[in-house]
Structures are given as structure tokens and as C-alpha cells.
Amino acid sequence: MNPEQAIAQVFGLYEQHGMADYIGEPVSQIEHMSQAAQLAMAEGFDDEVVLAAFFHDIGHLCGQGAADMGGYGVVSHERLGADYLRRAGFSERLAKLVEYHVQAKRYLTFSQPDYYARLSEASRRTLGYQGGAMSVEEARAFEQDPLCAVSLRMRDWDEQAKETQVPVLDLDVLKAKARQLLAA
């Protein structure tokens, strides 16, 4: 698949399903993804991180018809999304960041006793499907991963990206970033 085909396919998911309800949150899928990307951009992160923030829940869109988390999205959406992006030609770093946003939630639930209470109802419900809080061994291994710190930032953006009345980012900005990464 060439870069233009990949962009058309990946962003086509958002154009087709983006206005769908974001599993029990007060925003649509596209509003959630757009806000996460805007938060990454505001903090000055590189294009791979910005796109990973935008794509972090793409597994809910490309995994339509897969096993369901009790009405709260698709089981293993993080892996489905990461694999989908790899097949589209995106980097391993970007794909791993998409995959790790759930690991970051599990890590924070383990490492910060008050984190679970701050999660939205939907995030609490899905945690059980996602393996629950990490074990000590899983947490130590995650801390050693070079993507741990940015994965934790992405998780923070994921939690923040649920505000109503925030304008959606112009998708052409994100398509241009994707075009540059796929051409590299």
C-alpha cells in the first residue's frame, strides 16, 4: 500500500465512524482523538507522538465486529489498532505507543493508589477486560521500556481528551504529518 492509499484508508475510518459515540463518554470518537492530538501538539511532541495520540483508539474503529467489552468498545483495541497501523506502513514506535496506552492505564492503576478513582466510568469498566492493574513484575518491565514516559503522557492526554465544545482539529494537518512519516 502506498502512502496515499494508507492515508485514505486510515483517515477514512474517522470520516466513516468518527461521529460515533465514544463508548460512554460525552464526546464523539473524532472529538476524543482530535483533543488527544491537540494536547500532544501543545506540549511540542514530534509528529509520531502526535499521530499516536490521534490514533490511540483506532482499534475501536478498525476492529468493528470484534469481541466487545460489555458495550465499552472492542476487546484488545490497542493491539488491533497497533497492528492495523503497522500494516498501513507506520513506524514501530508509533504502533507501540498506540498499543501502550492501555499498558499505561494498567501501570498507573498499579503505581498510583488514587488513579483508579480518577478514571471515568467507561475506563474503570474496561480495565477488567484489559488485565486490571499490573503486577509488580509487569510494572518493573514497563518502567524499563524506552517508551514508558511518553506512554504515560499519552494516557494523561487520553483522560483529558473528553471535553465538550472543543473544535475538531483540521484533519488535513494530521494527514500532512502522516504523509511525511510514511514517505520517510
Side-chain angles (χ1 to χ4, degrees), residues 79-96:
R79 273 194 295 284
L80 291 170
D83 289 344
Y84 178 80
L85 293 166
R86 285 180 184 106
R87 286 192 304 274
F90 287 97
S91 72
E92 185 61 19
R93 178 177 178 244
L94 186 151
K96 278 189 172 175

Side-chain angles (χ1 to χ4, degrees), residues 101-147:
H101 83 279
V102 167
Q103 297 303 323
K105 177 168 85 169
R106 295 183 61 228
Y107 174 81
L108 290 167
T109 303
F110 161 81
S111 65
Q112 295 180 10
D114 64 332
Y115 181 75
Y116 181 82
R118 295 194 319 258
L119 288 173
S120 69
E121 180 63 23
S123 286
R124 282 188 212 144
R125 295 232 177 160
T126 58
L127 182 64
Y129 290 94
Q130 297 163 336
M134 281 187 172
S135 67
V136 172
E137 298 79 24
E138 288 173 315
R140 297 300 163 252
F142 188 62
E143 289 168 349
Q144 300 306 309
D145 193 293
L147 295 176

Side-chain angles (χ1 to χ4, degrees), residues 22-23 29 57-64 69 72-74 77:
Y22 176 58
I23 53 168
Q29 292 274 357
D57 276 342
I58 197 169
H60 290 304
L61 306 180
C62 70
Q64 304 252 329
M69 292 187 288
Y72 289 94
V74 175
H77 76 282

Side-chain angles (χ1 to χ4, degrees), residues 17-23 25-35 61 161-164 166 168:
H17 304 291
M19 292 314 294
D21 180 50
Y22 176 58
I23 53 168
E25 302 290 359
V27 292
S28 68
Q29 292 274 357
I30 192 76
E31 288 170 323
H32 175 65
M33 308 294 193
S34 172
Q35 288 177 38
L61 306 180
K162 298 171 184 176
E163 299 295 320
T164 57
V166 175
V168 172

Side-chain angles (χ1 to χ4, degrees), residues 32 35-41 43-45 49-50 52-53 56 150-162:
H32 175 65
Q35 288 177 38
Q38 289 175 64
L39 289 162
M41 289 168 71
E43 290 187 29
F45 277 87
V49 174
V50 169
H56 77 273
V150 71
S151 297
L152 295 175
R153 288 301 311 128
M154 273 190 51
R155 188 69 216 177
D156 191 42
W157 303 327
D158 188 4
E159 297 302 329
Q160 291 178 55
K162 298 171 184 176

